[in-house]
Amino acid sequence: MHETKRSGLNYADAGVDIAAGNRMVDLIKPLVRATARPGADTEIGGFGGLFDLKRAGLRDPILVAATDGVGTKVRIAIETGRHDTIGIDLVAMSVNDLVVQGAEPLFFLDYFACGRLDPELGARLIAGIAAGCRQAGCALIGGETAEMPGVYAPADYDLAGFAVGAAERDALLPRSDIAAGDVVLGLASSGLHSNGFSLVRRLVEREGLRWDAPAPFDVTLSLGEALLTPTAIYVAACLAAIRETGAVKALAHITGGGLTENIPRVLPPRLGVRIDLNAVPVLSVFRWLAQTGGIAETEMLRTFNCGIGMVAIAAADRAEAVAAVLSQAGHPAARIGEVTEAADTKVAYSGQLALGTGT
């Protein structure tokens, strides 16, 4: 009997292309170099990224770290083939969390996992991440690309990001002098940012809408393009307000949970806020969601940012100065409420969101 000899396996037979990974590294090297900042050696390829904290010019630094992803917003990028801005979202979700503690973002690392590595697609994703890093003033010093056939479908991928920043020990936020009567300023969001997309996608599916059709709330854009509007990065504006006025007492990044759950995270136990919903600049995408989905105002407020992507708290006599610096830095801020003595309710609302639903 003749025995049939089986040929030896290699990694490519298992669905992992090492050559594609090497090609992607070559494609992204110039993108990474473009994010250089004092303290960072941005050449990639080693086992770890380096950062020289002394060169960052900090006197008595406390390191602050954050990690996040982009949720199911990535599904829309995959289904539309629009991969250029989802990396900005990835950076934004972490660096906005750093700045609320008064920290300047220093460096960023990404994790990109996929079913089949397409080096050109990967380079487009990293280009978005690099663009976000430049907006935030941090260096992209490394990352990981994982080709995982059998875990992800061939065209699917996911992203995670990790940011590290630093603040001077005596400049950490929130401050201990937050008091009743302080003003709550709201910085406008750019759209949905990266929260609530499971609900959004469910609504789009229920209504039978196509990603390439005109957006019902903005006919100048396709639905997919409009929903992929990248998350605003507030770092430069918030750092300017902190440093130039010395009057920012607290910041809150409005992500999942909305105003209702995120503002209390930076308040002392005895205090709450009263928010005037009439002052919230509701974007058309939120009116469309509320009207088409029949979503109640309370649900909107605990699921979406509803038009406010960041909140700043300042004493009443300094709030105007803080708002002026934020505006000069490209993020106009509206007075949307005030700090109050709190009993049981940490966030109380008056007025009504301009959703056009009558709720």
Side-chain angles (χ1 to χ4, degrees), residues 149-181:
V151 175
Y152 294 93
D156 285 353
Y157 65 84
D158 199 9
L159 298 168
F162 312 86
V164 174
E168 297 290 2
R169 190 180 303 270
D170 57 5
L172 285 167
L173 297 180
R175 285 172 20 183
S176 60
D177 61 342
I178 300 173

Side-chain angles (χ1 to χ4, degrees), residues 24-350:
M24 180 173 156
V25 170
D26 289 338
L27 289 172
I28 68 176
K29 277 185 177 179
L31 303 171
V32 173
R33 291 189 195 108
T35 68
R37 56 149 293 151
D41 175 0
T42 56
E43 188 64 44
I44 59 171
F47 286 95
L50 304 178
F51 191 91
D52 184 348
L53 200 56
K54 184 180 293 186
R55 286 187 56 208
L58 294 158
R59 170 178 45 84
D60 185 19
I62 297 290
L63 292 179
V64 184
T67 184
D68 210 337
V70 294
T72 61
K73 187 172 187 176
V74 73
R75 191 74 239 161
I76 300 177
I78 292 167
E79 292 177 5
T80 61
R82 294 180 174 272
H83 309 286
D84 300 292
T85 61
I86 198 77
I88 298 175
D89 291 288
L90 184 68
V91 175
M93 296 305 289
S94 285
V95 297
N96 285 341
D97 280 354
L98 294 184
V99 80
V100 302
Q101 295 188 258
E104 173 187 352
L106 299 176
F107 60 85
F108 189 86
L109 299 99
D110 68 273
Y111 175 77
F112 166 44
C114 59
R116 181 181 59 80
L117 180 59
D118 178 339
E120 283 70 26
L121 183 152
R124 290 167 65 189
L125 291 171
I126 302 302
I129 293 171
C133 286
R134 291 195 300 273
Q135 287 186 43
C138 63
L140 178 58
I141 66 170
E144 169 68 5
T145 299
E147 192 172 17
M148 302 169 64
V151 175
Y152 294 93
D156 285 353
Y157 65 84
D158 199 9
L159 298 168
F162 312 86
V164 174
E168 297 290 2
R169 190 180 303 270
D170 57 5
L172 285 167
L173 297 180
R175 285 172 20 183
S176 60
D177 61 342
I178 300 173
D182 286 347
V183 168
V184 179
L185 298 169
L187 285 68
S189 68
S190 56
L192 289 163
H193 288 185
S194 296
N195 299 105
F197 275 89
S198 293
L199 177 54
V200 173
R201 290 171 47 250
R202 174 75 177 271
L203 178 60
V204 168
E205 181 181 4
R206 192 189 75 177
E207 295 297 308
L209 301 176
R210 301 191 324 272
W211 297 127
D212 59 354
F217 51 90
D218 185 352
V219 294
T220 67
L221 301 171
S222 70
L223 178 59
E225 185 180 7
L227 292 178
L228 286 171
T229 299
T231 304
I233 293 178
Y234 300 102
V235 170
C238 289
L239 288 177
I242 291 167
R243 293 166 178 172
E244 294 179 26
T245 70
V248 176
K249 294 186 177 185
L251 296 164
H253 185 198
I254 308 305
T255 56
L259 296 166
T260 304
E261 295 184 11
N262 285 292
I263 296 178
R265 297 168 68 181
V266 300
L267 295 175
R270 69 185 188 282
L271 298 176
V273 294
R274 181 181 299 110
I275 301 297
D276 177 9
L277 295 178
N278 295 322
V280 172
V282 178
L283 301 176
S284 58
V285 63
F286 298 111
R287 286 194 290 273
W288 171 72
L289 285 168
Q291 293 171 15
T292 306
I295 305 172
E297 182 182 80
T298 53
E299 185 68 13
M300 292 292 296
L301 285 165
R302 65 189 296 269
T303 304
F304 302 108
N305 66 63
C306 293
I308 298 294
M310 181 75 75
V311 158
I313 295 175
D317 62 349
R318 302 301 308 282
E320 188 173 327
V322 171
V325 174
L326 291 169
S327 180
Q328 289 167 8
H331 288 284
R335 180 171 177 159
I336 62 169
E338 66 176 6
V339 177
T340 61
E341 298 288 346
D344 298 323
T345 304
K346 297 290 286 186
V347 180
Y349 294 110
S350 62

